[in-house]
Amino acid sequence: LLIRISLASVLLTINWATYVWAVVNDHVIETALGYFIAPILTIVIGVFVLHEKLRGIQRFAVSFAISGIAVLTIAYGRVPWIALIIATSWSFYAYLKKKVPLQPLESLTAEVLILALPAFIYVLATWNNLQSVHNTATLAEWILVAFTGVITAVPLLMFASASQKTPLTILGPMQYIVPTMNFLIGWLLYDEALTTSKVAGFSLIWVCLALVLTDLFRKQRLQQNVSSLQ
């Protein structure tokens, strides 16, 4: 259990650090690509490792997502390393969270405790850097820094809870909501370049999301009807 939690902590650190670096260096849309690829890897793990089954509409949806990812990769004209690191670290983090028999708060607390010492050492080592938060941040920025911890922890707690109760073949496609938001932020707020090929690739992935959500809502409605009949 300790090994699994430690590995989850390392994967989470890789994911966070890569994401933050990408945002600071104007690669927000590529982070969106990473989180678009992640659900596909999550589904692959669910099918080939946990032996979960894909229904017909889910297979159809996945084919759209794979096509969209291929178009986006070609559009970048290079191997999207940032996206691949984000996708791989997050997908295996999801897998490990499903294999950790702890409540969400206990699991996340254990991860934070494991990361606390190296994080504290890093803060001390960089405390006096000219560009560090200590030397540059205003009071308002200190408050914002503190709240980034809150807005990171709350979704992680919710994700940890969902990962233990939901099949990965469902949890994977639902994660497309996050990269869609990243895409819109990169495009509308940070004015990152948006080519026709990128629009085409993201559109294919949004079709996948629409199919998965339709299938999920239909399944829930069917279960409600069966429950009412009983």
Side-chain angles (χ1 to χ4, degrees), residues 53-68:
K53 301 296 183 182
L54 282 174
R55 294 190 299 277
I57 192 171
Q58 290 177 320
R59 294 192 187 98
F60 193 51
V62 168
S63 67
F64 272 98
I66 293 173
S67 300

Side-chain angles (χ1 to χ4, degrees), residues 15-34:
N15 188 270
W16 281 349
T18 305
Y19 179 82
V20 171
W21 182 91
V23 170
V24 171
N25 289 278
D26 300 321
H27 294 288
V28 178
I29 291 181
E30 190 169 348
T31 69
L33 176 59

Side-chain angles (χ1 to χ4, degrees), residues 1 5 93 97 99-111 156-165:
L1 179 60
I5 292 175
Y93 176 75
K97 295 297 284 188
K99 305 299 288 185
V100 172
L102 295 175
Q103 294 298 315
L105 183 59
E106 296 170 344
S107 178
L108 185 59
T109 301
E111 292 169 22
L156 280 174
L157 287 171
M158 298 173 72
F159 177 78
S161 178
S163 66
Q164 293 182 345
K165 301 175 183 177

Side-chain angles (χ1 to χ4, degrees), residues 21-84:
W21 182 91
V23 170
V24 171
N25 289 278
D26 300 321
H27 294 288
V28 178
I29 291 181
E30 190 169 348
T31 69
L33 176 59
Y35 285 114
F36 275 128
I37 296 174
I40 298 297
L41 293 181
T42 302
I43 291 172
V44 169
I45 293 171
V47 172
F48 290 100
V49 179
L50 301 180
H51 306 293
E52 298 175 0
K53 301 296 183 182
L54 282 174
R55 294 190 299 277
I57 192 171
Q58 290 177 320
R59 294 192 187 98
F60 193 51
V62 168
S63 67
F64 272 98
I66 293 173
S67 300
I69 291 167
V71 170
L72 286 168
T73 301
I74 294 171
Y76 277 99
R78 57 176 174 79
V79 177
W81 291 111
I82 295 172
L84 290 176

Side-chain angles (χ1 to χ4, degrees), residues 46 116 129 179:
N129 286 1

